[in-house]
Amino acid sequence: MNEKILVVEDEREIADLIAYTLKKENFEVTIALDGETALKKLRENFFDLVVLDLMLPKIQGLEICKVIRNNPDMQKTGIIIVTAKGEEFDKITGLEAGADDYITKPFSSKELLARIKAVLRRTMPAHSKQKIIKIKEMVIDKEKYLVTVKGQPKRLSATEFKLLLYLAERPNKIFNRDHLLDAVWGHEIYVDSRTVDVHIRRLRLKIEEDPDNPEYIKTLRGIGYYIEA
């Protein structure tokens, strides 16, 4: 079954170029030229990944990103923000809104494909013999793609889930940013190391009772992150 990708881009030529590139790789592609149409298509169909421009007519890309992340039915949907904005603040804002990756225009078709394939791999975590991981009062169900803390479900993006799972499967082992970038995002594409910090912060906000004094995801200053079990 081919992965379904929604391309949300208000410039028709760019949208068509992205769609052409993806269709050559046998992806099933749908185009939306504005934010309102994008939300309508998202509510009518399931998409494995959304390629999302930030500057859109009617509804902005960041709002669409938040809608996806707040919808339990879209938790497995990957998001790549594609935009002309290249400042670090804009990248961090996009990641904090729930994007899995960020690419700035102009970009090559080869780089976009590499990033799309990397995000899609992260939406399907590798299965091991242990289907349920329990750490203190946190339970990770790998088959159901579900995380609960004290019985309360937590909505995580695909990348957040893979990052949490990677740490949880290796409790008390410390990993630096570069190691986590290779393990979770993949070494074939460039992602800034700040991306790890942003995702760790988002995870703490979602799973920790007190994010400033985390019970699960710990930091060893100057070295890296680990889950204490």
Side-chain angles (χ1 to χ4, degrees):
M1 183 177 175
N2 297 339
E3 290 92 343
K4 295 181 179 181
I5 298 179
L6 176 63
V7 176
V8 188
E9 167 63 61
D10 63 324
E11 295 184 49
R12 168 60 80 172
E13 289 185 4
I14 295 176
D16 287 344
L17 178 60
I18 294 174
Y20 174 75
T21 300
L22 296 178
K23 286 176 181 177
K24 284 202 303 181
E25 295 291 318
N26 296 316
F27 291 113
E28 188 176 324
V29 184
T30 300
I31 292 176
L33 297 175
D34 61 70
E36 193 174 275
T37 303
L39 285 181
K40 184 174 183 291
K41 292 183 181 296
L42 282 163
R43 288 171 180 140
E44 292 174 348
N45 304 280
F46 172 79
F47 293 94
D48 297 286
L49 184 137
V50 179
V51 178
L52 181 63
D53 189 19
L54 280 187
M55 305 300 291
L56 294 169
K58 300 181 181 179
I59 301 174
Q60 293 290 297
L62 282 177
E63 290 306 310
I64 294 172
C65 196
K66 292 173 184 176
V67 168
I68 293 171
R69 286 296 167 248
N70 288 325
N71 189 324
D73 296 329
M74 301 182 194
Q75 293 307 295
K76 290 187 180 182
T77 299
I79 303 172
I80 296 180
I81 289 179
V82 182
T83 179
K85 291 188 173 182
E87 296 296 324
E88 183 180 41
F89 174 78
D90 295 313
K91 294 179 181 179
I92 292 174
T93 300
L95 292 169
E96 288 184 334
D100 296 288
D101 202 356
Y102 196 116
I103 186 171
T104 55
K105 301 173 185 175
F107 54 85
S108 70
S109 297
K110 187 175 181 180
E111 182 185 6
L112 178 61
L113 273 174
R115 290 181 180 274
I116 286 172
K117 290 177 180 178
V119 170
L120 286 172
R121 283 196 297 274
R122 297 202 293 271
T123 65
M124 305 171 188
H127 291 279
S128 68
K129 291 181 180 179
Q130 189 179 7
K131 304 299 183 184
I132 303 290
I133 297 175
K134 295 182 180 180
I135 298 175
K136 301 177 184 176
E137 294 186 86
M138 177 172 67
V139 179
I140 303 173
D141 188 324
K142 295 166 63 175
E143 287 194 328
K144 294 181 179 178
Y145 211 83
L146 179 67
V147 176
T148 60
V149 179
K150 296 183 178 179
Q152 297 298 312
K154 304 297 177 180
R155 297 175 181 173
L156 306 184
S157 71
T159 304
E160 290 166 356
F161 185 88
K162 185 169 183 181
L163 177 58
L164 180 64
L165 181 62
Y166 188 85
L167 293 170
E169 288 183 322
R170 301 159 181 83
N172 303 313
K173 187 172 181 180
I174 303 166
F175 299 98
N176 62 30
R177 291 186 187 91
D178 290 338
H179 182 99
L180 291 173
L181 280 174
D182 284 346
V184 178
W185 280 264
H187 62 274
E188 76 273 20
I189 58 176
Y190 173 75
V191 181
D192 190 274
S193 62
R194 286 288 301 277
T195 300
V196 175
D197 298 332
V198 170
H199 279 77
I200 290 290
R201 183 168 61 193
R202 276 172 30 193
L203 274 173
R204 282 174 171 162
L205 287 170
K206 292 179 179 181
I207 70 171
E208 302 283 2
E209 188 170 337
D210 182 358
D212 294 327
N213 296 286
E215 180 182 358
Y216 298 101
I217 303 176
K218 303 281 189 175
T219 302
L220 190 59
R221 191 172 297 278
I223 299 179
Y225 298 107
Y226 66 101
I227 280 189
E228 185 176 79

